[in-house]
Amino acid sequence: MPTIHESKVPTESPYKISEHIHELCLSPESISSLLAQDPSLAPGEEAWEKLFGHHEHEHCPKGDVSHIGRGSVAPEELERARSCGKWGSQQPSDLFLRIYHDALCTLDDNPTCGMVSPSLMGYSGTMPLTIISVIPDIVRHMSNLIVRADKEVFLATNFWQNGVASKYITNAIRELSRRAGERGTKIVMKIIYDRGSPRQLLEPHYMVSDSEYTGQAVGLPACDEIPNIDLQVMNYHQPLLGTFHAKYMIVDRRVAVLQSNNIQDNDNLEMMVQVEGPIVDSLYDMALLSWHKKLEPPLPNLGSPAAESGSGSFDASHAGIFSLEGAIRGHSAIVDPDKLPSRKVTHSREGTVNGNGASKQTVDNSNSLHLRDGTPVGLRDHQDQGSRPEHNTATEKPFAESPTLLEHTAEDPHYDDRLAGEIQRVQEAISAKPGETRMEAVSRHLNHTVNEGFEGNAPNCDPWDEMTPYVPHPAHEPFPMALVCRAPYGTPNHASVSNPQNAAWLSTLRNAQKNVFIQTPTLNAEPLIPAIVEACERGVDVYCYVCLGYNDSGEMLPMQGGHNEAIAHQLHTSLSVSAKQHLHWFWYVAKDQASPIAAAKKRRSCHIKLLIADEHIGMVGNGNQDTQSWYHSQETNLLIDSPRICRSWIGALTRNQNTHLYGRVGAEDGVWRDEEGKEADGVTGMDAGHFSWAKGIVGAVKRVQGVGGF
């Protein structure tokens, strides 16, 4: 289990951007630009060595991050960081620059740890869409993007499992082939996943044969089923522990999606973001490096940078999604962040909806993300932006008045030509049908593939708080983004800690001024725990939304950090009295539930990986806050600087789960109890016992089989 310790804090940061890294960032060259000149090069071998020298498969940096983010950085050093990115018309904030600076500093030992050409690490882009929902809603969108592809698709996931989720994708691949045939064109498609195989001991990147990927376990279409698609499939893992944990898709080098989910059927709530503009080139470069080997055939758009294409989603149909009030047209929940109402209320430090001993003390909420009921709010500017429009319940209809849009399913596909059509179709699918309450409609939607008939017990929600799986973002100019990744590291030790991902997380916690929000399935990484303590001790509110019991058995293996309940207890019992009021720990509670459900029951779990700081800095992507993601797995994350997007995320997270209402743990011991003082059913408890290592072995086996937590 991670230890909490005191360490001397430097007054000035010992980290500086070296001349070497500065030159690489300013260079016009990248892996993708070199492949555009010579597509025959292998990206991770020949191309990387031509530009940067030797490419290390087994990256073990010399650096450490114990002081990353601590101490002050001189203004000229922040300006040096600014010059290392291509930010467009919107300049990054000082907090973003500090985080980006610290991430860049980890590249000095070996640039491969960043998994992207340094010249493309800091860029800009737009974000037309966020999805916060179950896996079918995410693969629905992926399937629509696939069928709309013109030339190429690159799809990456950690675990691919044949099932309903994968059928959305395979249906779309077949439909894309049909459409390409009608046009007389050929599509190039690359798929990379991590399904453990003994072959990876000799060849971590191995090409999967047609007979293997068409088998029962994966179920991809055979070549003769998709004559107009040239498909290559790769299985990648860096033995022993270097999991390929990245999950993303890039279509035509114009649109990219980055998500938390694998391609498999489960009960998880997940998150995806869609980005367009120059940042797609950064993700494209990272994808080429991940593929590593020669592209056979090459991707057609190697010579067509996204930076030249703009953001194609912001058309008239996108603008038409929004009602005058800022809701999805025909519905009630406000999704336009500029029209979200703010509520000026002080809040109690303890929730009153469970048995965790509500405190009556009212405190200043000037640096808090939550109000009295625990609800996250947006920007804490204390400006009254107006109340919600009056809702006429007398004329309220239990279901939409517009013509019914048929739900897009794996068994009955209904593809849309534009994003606007997808959003309307999904929002109608989750709306109440005749004879249904809103909450019954939510339960139906959350149950989807794996929990048909499982009932919710939460009270019906207000129409303004209806679940919005697809959250469209109004048209905006490109804003600063950075790709903060980590390379895979297979050796079973904790040497690989210095990389852009870890530096960005630590620097964010150590430099945020008001609040930090973290949602993650697991939280136990050794460097993270003292950083949370430090933040709370200096008066920063830290909100942790964690999934109760997620992958408990795997986290109890030696050197894995411990299970979530043990960490929650450890944190709450180690903080000073003054700091304890700044730690806000909640167990995930689904939208249709009134209490947390242990993940082992596989009813309502959460797999979102998100961090928001001071309500304008966001980090979203693949990385969990656990030992595996901090020390071993290949991860891809986006660092963004946008108050509007962060405000929109906070609103959507509030609407799409009940964590803030029913999930708060007791402030004294970090334990959740119901009104009768009972803990949640089926939990491990604070103390896993003397034989927790044996449970950990079971969890490790489940991970390899694809049924554990990833």
Side-chain angles (χ1 to χ4, degrees), residues 192-414:
I192 179 172
Y193 54 62
D194 184 347
R195 291 181 57 88
S197 168
R199 290 183 60 181
Q200 290 160 336
L201 292 169
L202 299 175
E203 177 49 81
H205 298 81
Y206 88 79
M207 304 310 302
V208 183
S209 67
D210 183 282
S211 61
E212 183 178 344
Y213 70 65
T214 59
Q216 183 59 36
V218 177
L220 282 165
C223 292
D224 58 2
E225 295 181 76
I226 48 172
N228 302 299
I229 295 180
D230 198 320
L231 174 65
Q232 270 190 305
V233 180
M234 176 181 284
N235 192 353
Y236 175 40
H237 184 93
Q238 190 68 46
L240 294 169
L241 300 178
T243 299
F244 180 77
H245 196 240
K247 314 153 206 294
Y248 56 87
M249 186 173 75
I250 306 167
V251 178
D252 289 335
R253 200 174 176 177
R254 296 293 179 266
V255 175
V257 291
L258 180 64
Q259 66 231 55
S260 62
N261 65 288
N262 301 308
I263 308 300
Q264 61 183 148
D265 301 329
N266 58 42
D267 61 305
N268 291 346
L269 189 77
E270 305 276 3
M271 183 169 179
M272 168 188 274
V273 294
Q274 176 174 321
V275 292
E276 299 177 12
I279 193 65
V280 176
D281 287 332
S282 308
L283 288 156
Y284 197 76
D285 197 80
M286 177 271 303
L288 295 175
L289 278 169
S290 299
W291 190 263
H292 191 73
K293 290 188 170 183
K294 182 179 178 180
L295 300 160
E296 298 176 314
L299 291 167
N301 285 334
L302 282 172
S304 303
E308 299 173 359
S309 66
S311 298
S313 291
F314 291 148
D315 58 8
S317 68
H318 190 85
I321 294 170
F322 304 94
S323 69
L324 292 175
E325 296 79 20
I328 296 171
R329 190 170 296 278
H331 301 275
S332 300
I334 298 173
V335 295
D336 183 342
D338 291 337
K339 296 182 178 180
L340 283 169
S342 64
R343 292 168 286 180
K344 296 186 292 184
V345 187
T346 53
H347 69 285
S348 300
R349 286 293 178 187
E350 292 296 327
T352 59
V353 292
N354 57 31
N356 288 323
S359 167
K360 300 302 182 182
Q361 179 184 7
T362 300
V363 297
D364 175 32
N365 69 343
S366 59
N367 65 340
S368 173
L369 285 165
H370 287 53
L371 298 177
R372 182 174 53 197
D373 62 357
T375 306
V377 296
L379 299 171
R380 300 305 306 153
D381 54 10
H382 297 284
Q383 299 297 315
D384 185 3
Q385 297 179 14
S387 58
R388 292 169 169 168
E390 286 190 14
H391 182 65
N392 188 347
T393 56
T395 61
E396 179 189 333
K397 300 291 184 182
F399 54 95
E401 292 182 348
S402 58
T404 300
L405 293 171
L406 295 176
E407 188 173 12
H408 172 38
T409 69
E411 298 302 326
D412 186 20
H414 294 278

